[in-house]
Amino acid sequence: MAAGNETVVYLSEQVLVLCSCALSCAGSSLIVLTYVAWSDLRTTPRRLLVFLSVSDWLSAVSYAFGVWRVFRTDSLDCVVQGAVSTFANTSSFFWTVAIAVYLYVFIVRSSQRVADSLVLFFHLVSWGVPLAITVAAVCLNKIGYDASEVSVGWCWVSIHAPDRVLWMLLTGKIWEFLAYLTLPVLYILIKRHIYIAHAALSEYRPILANRPLSNSFSSMADMKLTLIPIIFIVLRIWSTVRFILLLAGSAARLNPVLVTLHGIGNTSQGAANCIMFVLLTRPIRTRLCAALCCCSKYRAGEQPSHGAPHTPLPGQDSSRQREEDSASRVGIDR
């Protein structure tokens, strides 16, 4: 399976991880494109999601290069790839937590002003801290070939660094552990606050019972609040398991299935975010379908009429459209 400490990365593992990287790049790009294309979707939470998507895109590209190359030595491109992936991956952790903090302040503390004032702080921390850590690691020659001990072909903390476990913590793992603790707590508090608010309005339920569409949006937002920390943990836990096995000196970290899950999990965040916040968000999904239909008609030789009024989709009247666009004003479904 492995020679010494080196983990063998098989071709099948490379293909699967490269596919995951491609999906993550496409998903992150789609999130950015929808934000740019439709100005009414440019809420603050979705803008934070765009910054997260930039980090995930950069991370997926750097990981794809590393998996494609499967480095064997401390070459210059190995160090560059390791530095980029370290910065992007750590930045992704910070932006993921930043979105949760923003939603907590906005919803639970009911203060949009305070929540918006945190955006500058989020930028300073989410870009500045990863950059400082990465620059320090590169300057101290801590980034390089790691024999895929806790990676899948790409470079990270050099296997030759005597304090590599410390630098593994500083360049990723400690922030990953903090995200595991912070995200569930924040989203549970948000869900609890929403549940209490709904319970307080129970006397109005007979009136609201005639509006099932509103209930469907609330259910979707509630589902996303549940899925965000779960998906993050499910995707990232495999790299954590390998890191713990490394600390324990266990050869189980070389298991091909675990290595494959690690590779796919670390490179799938962009694709997962796209599924939740684009494909499972009805207003955006409706617009994408309409855009694809227009493209299909144009390619078929039918010129779209720019002066014609917008025609709602079957079963979608103007009131429903307004309700879709106003659903989850904090950005979960916009």
Side-chain angles (χ1 to χ4, degrees), residues 116-326:
D116 290 340
S117 68
L118 290 174
V119 173
L120 178 59
F121 174 75
F122 292 153
H123 278 286
L124 293 175
V125 173
S126 300
W127 299 124
V129 173
L131 181 61
I133 292 173
T134 303
V135 169
V138 172
C139 291
L140 295 173
N141 296 320
K142 303 300 181 180
I143 302 296
Y145 171 66
D146 69 344
S148 294
E149 276 195 319
V150 195
S151 68
V152 188
W154 56 76
C155 291
W156 187 28
V157 177
S158 175
I159 193 174
H160 304 298
D163 52 353
R164 64 182 182 276
V165 172
L166 172 62
W167 281 97
M168 285 179 179
L169 289 170
L170 290 175
T171 57
K173 290 304 169 187
I174 191 171
W175 315 114
E176 191 174 63
F177 291 141
L178 290 175
Y180 287 156
L181 298 175
T182 305
L183 291 177
V185 170
L186 289 175
Y187 282 111
I188 288 173
L189 291 175
I190 293 171
K191 282 171 62 67
R192 179 177 177 272
H193 177 83
I194 293 174
Y195 176 80
I196 293 174
H198 285 175
L201 295 174
S202 59
E203 59 183 298
Y204 297 107
R205 283 176 183 170
I207 300 175
L208 299 176
N210 295 324
R211 304 184 67 184
L213 186 61
S214 177
N215 292 336
S216 69
F217 282 121
S218 297
S219 298
M220 179 58 71
D222 186 67
M223 181 187 73
K224 288 179 181 179
L225 288 173
T226 303
L227 288 178
I228 289 171
I230 291 177
I231 289 177
F232 178 84
I233 293 173
V234 168
L235 291 179
R236 297 287 183 172
I237 195 64
W238 312 109
S239 64
T240 304
V241 170
R242 290 192 71 201
F243 177 71
I244 294 174
L245 291 174
L246 171 67
L247 297 181
S250 173
R253 72 181 186 278
L254 310 178
N255 184 281
V257 175
L258 186 57
V259 172
T260 302
L261 290 173
H262 175 191
I264 294 175
N266 267 38
T267 57
S268 295
Q269 192 66 52
N273 288 338
C274 179
I275 292 172
M276 281 195 295
F277 299 110
V278 175
L279 302 183
L280 292 182
T281 301
R282 186 176 295 175
I284 301 179
R285 186 174 67 247
T286 300
R287 297 184 190 197
L288 286 176
C289 290
L292 290 174
C293 289
C294 289
C295 291
S296 299
K297 291 179 180 179
Y298 183 81
R299 290 180 180 179
E302 300 179 18
Q303 295 294 333
S305 176
H306 298 287
H310 171 70
T311 302
L313 295 176
Q316 180 184 30
D317 56 20
S318 59
S319 63
R320 173 172 173 173
Q321 183 64 44
R322 286 196 301 270
E323 190 160 2
E324 286 180 351
D325 289 336
S326 63

Side-chain angles (χ1 to χ4, degrees), residues 14-37:
Q14 286 181 272
V15 172
L16 289 173
V17 177
L18 285 173
C19 289
S20 175
C21 290
L23 290 174
S24 197
C25 287
S28 298
S29 300
L30 189 57
I31 290 174
V32 175
L33 289 175
T34 55
Y35 179 85
V36 173

